[in-house]
Amino acid sequence: MRFLSLAIAQLAALLALPAMADAPVPTKGERALHERLLTLDTHLDTPASLVLPGWSIVQRHSAADDYTQVDVPRMVAGGLDGGFWAIYTPQGPLDPASTRAARDYALRRAVAIHAMVAANPQAFALADRAADAAQIAASGRRVVYLSIENAWPLGDDPTLLQAFYALGVRISGFAHFKTNQFADSSTDMPKWDGLSPAGVQLLAEMNRLGVVPDLSHSSDAALDDALRLSKTPIILTHSGCKAVYDHPRNIDDAHLRALAAQGGVIQINSVYVKKLVQSPQRKAALDALEQRFPEDRVLSAAERADYLAQRHAIDRQWPEVRAGFDDVMANLLHALKVAGVDHVGIGLDWDGGGGVAGLDDVADLPKLTAALLHAGYSEADVAKIWSGNVLRVLAAAEAEAAREQAMAGATLR
């Protein structure tokens, strides 16, 4: 009888939970509209896949098999025209030797992106300016802007950003999960109360070059500093809303409004969208796996096979608790309500921890367009969300760089 009572109580609790909204299946018309749009994601961690042994960007893979989420066939299937491909460097010690190694690591990651484009000219094209994206997409190729996630590799010389700008970097962040020499991280103890003096110099260098400042991962105080000091609009390339999920990586409504007032954009991700409690056994097993196969190490084919076998075993024994499509939409719709349609976009953190049930890889992206249309947004609105807003911000950065260059030229005369 006790068991039956417990079962009834558990069933009642389940019935009391809000139903998980299914991702909409796009109609033929909605899919056609999606294909008409210029679709850009502002945070693709896919360059990490480019160094996997035997892995090819032009072959179709499966997130269920190798945990990757972006390749050319799936970009075509999902109608993704491209975006900002991240030069991501996991934060390490701030000593000179480690920082030089980080610089070299970041440069190799940039070279890998360029090699991808050079090896597949029919599939990709590098973009330098905001106007390039539409032209590249019209040619049937995928758009490749570069971005920096974590500015640690720049060391103590913000002007090194100029070298990365020459390689195609048009968005740059400051910190990642740990506070560094440029800014406090949202997920670490503060040291600078926002941007450091070097971070202020880096921000000025971004404005001078035409690089959009990215404050995802940085603290609220760093965002406040950037909003106050930047001559161009700010972007959050992959963030969420604290009103939906109160996590340090997400931002509150006051900052959403301040970002919009400054002309900036929040790009909604698919990681910090809902509180999820994983089993302690799963966390411990994944931590141990990370120790064996650190993310900054290039694996051999045998090591990669070993990693995948162990990761699948962990998933079978302690399945992941996942967020769902409706959780991503809750963040997206809240940001649109608070900041307005001119200040929201999409940066789902593919290949960097993103993806939820119903939005497993980029092949699922038409579902977002369908959901936005069902929510009452127009084609013009959805076009802004998918690319118009980020390209406006990039164009503003270009205009400021041109203004500063003209002023410098006038001073020399």
Side-chain angles (χ1 to χ4, degrees):
M1 181 66 90
R2 181 175 178 275
F3 175 79
L4 180 60
S5 299
L6 180 61
I8 291 172
Q10 290 175 334
L11 178 60
L14 287 172
L15 291 175
L17 292 174
M20 175 75 76
D22 291 330
V25 177
T27 65
K28 185 177 180 180
E30 289 165 347
R31 177 66 202 225
L33 184 153
H34 181 79
E35 291 293 340
R36 287 198 299 273
L37 299 175
L38 174 60
T39 55
L40 302 176
D41 186 293
T42 51
H43 195 74
L44 300 172
D45 270 314
T46 307
S49 300
L50 301 178
V51 298
L52 296 176
W55 196 91
S56 171
I57 190 74
V58 295
Q59 295 176 357
R60 183 157 190 160
H61 305 269
S62 165
D65 292 337
D66 70 2
Y67 300 97
T68 66
Q69 297 170 305
V70 180
D71 52 44
V72 172
R74 284 182 286 181
M75 292 178 82
V76 173
L80 180 62
D81 290 312
F84 291 78
W85 301 65
I87 300 170
Y88 162 62
T89 310
Q91 185 65 52
L94 291 171
D95 60 86
S98 298
T99 301
R100 284 195 301 271
R103 176 201 62 195
D104 295 346
Y105 180 90
L107 288 169
R108 287 195 298 271
R109 186 56 55 89
V111 168
I113 298 170
H114 278 258
M116 175 191 77
V117 176
N120 304 285
Q122 77 292 345
F124 297 105
L126 290 165
D128 287 324
R129 301 183 64 80
D132 292 343
Q135 297 171 4
I136 292 169
S139 74
R141 294 172 293 171
R142 306 294 137 175
V143 179
V144 180
Y145 292 103
L146 276 67
S147 64
I148 289 176
E149 184 177 25
N150 192 6
W152 173 42
L154 301 180
D156 60 359
D157 182 11
T159 64
L160 184 56
L161 182 63
Q162 186 169 344
F164 284 95
Y165 178 86
L167 289 168
V169 167
R170 295 299 179 268
I171 289 177
S172 178
F174 291 82
H176 194 244
F177 280 123
K178 297 290 185 182
T179 293
N180 64 14
Q181 72 272 39
F182 294 116
D184 292 331
S185 169
S186 63
T187 48
D188 195 12
M189 294 295 294
K191 177 179 180 180
W192 308 108
D193 193 27
L195 295 180
S196 71
V200 172
Q201 293 175 23
L202 179 58
L203 177 62
E205 186 70 1
M206 291 178 187
N207 288 169
R208 186 184 74 81
L209 291 172
V211 174
V212 180
D214 175 15
L215 273 293
S216 278
H217 278 290
S218 295
S219 68
D220 286 351
L223 175 58
D224 289 335
D225 284 346
L227 289 171
R228 176 172 51 85
L229 296 172
S230 180
K231 300 173 185 175
T232 69
I234 300 300
I235 193 168
L236 303 175
T237 57
H238 56 305
S239 292
C241 301
K242 274 187 177 169
V244 179
Y245 173 32
D246 188 3
H247 188 280
R249 274 280 285 110
N250 294 338
I251 69 167
D252 58 35
D253 288 0
H255 281 98
L256 274 175
R257 295 187 185 97
L259 181 74
Q262 194 251 11
V265 181
I266 180 172
Q267 306 284 120
I268 297 299
N269 74 7
S270 60
V271 182
Y272 303 99
V273 294
K274 179 181 184 179
K275 184 173 183 177
L276 301 171
V277 180
Q278 308 294 344
S279 72
Q281 297 94 332
R282 175 182 174 84
K283 183 179 185 307
L286 288 175
D287 288 346
L289 192 62
E290 168 63 20
Q291 290 294 318
R292 282 198 62 201
F293 304 101
E295 60 183 338
D296 60 352
R297 195 175 112 211
V298 177
L299 304 181
S300 68
E303 288 173 327
R304 174 67 175 164
D306 186 15
Y307 168 84
L308 288 174
Q310 292 193 46
R311 176 66 189 274
H312 283 300
I314 292 170
D315 287 342
R316 287 192 300 270
Q317 189 166 4
W318 302 291
E320 180 184 14
V321 179
R322 303 185 73 197
F325 180 88
D326 61 331
D327 299 311
V328 176
M329 285 304 302
N331 280 264
L332 183 56
L333 294 175
H334 182 82
L336 286 164
K337 177 182 176 182
V338 174
V341 74
D342 293 317
H343 304 285
V344 180
I346 293 169
L348 293 167
D349 207 354
W350 296 119
D351 291 321
V356 297
L359 197 62
D360 293 285
D361 60 25
V362 293
D364 288 327
L365 290 178
K367 297 175 184 177
L368 284 174
T369 294
L372 286 166
L373 294 171
H374 294 180
Y377 289 93
S378 67
E379 179 173 350
D381 293 334
V382 181
K384 291 179 181 180
I385 295 165
W386 267 119
S387 64
N389 292 334
V390 64
L391 293 178
R392 169 183 58 78
V393 169
L394 179 55
E398 294 169 359
E400 172 59 24
R403 186 188 72 83
E404 294 196 25
Q405 184 176 9
M407 288 179 61
T411 301
L412 289 175
R413 291 196 299 270

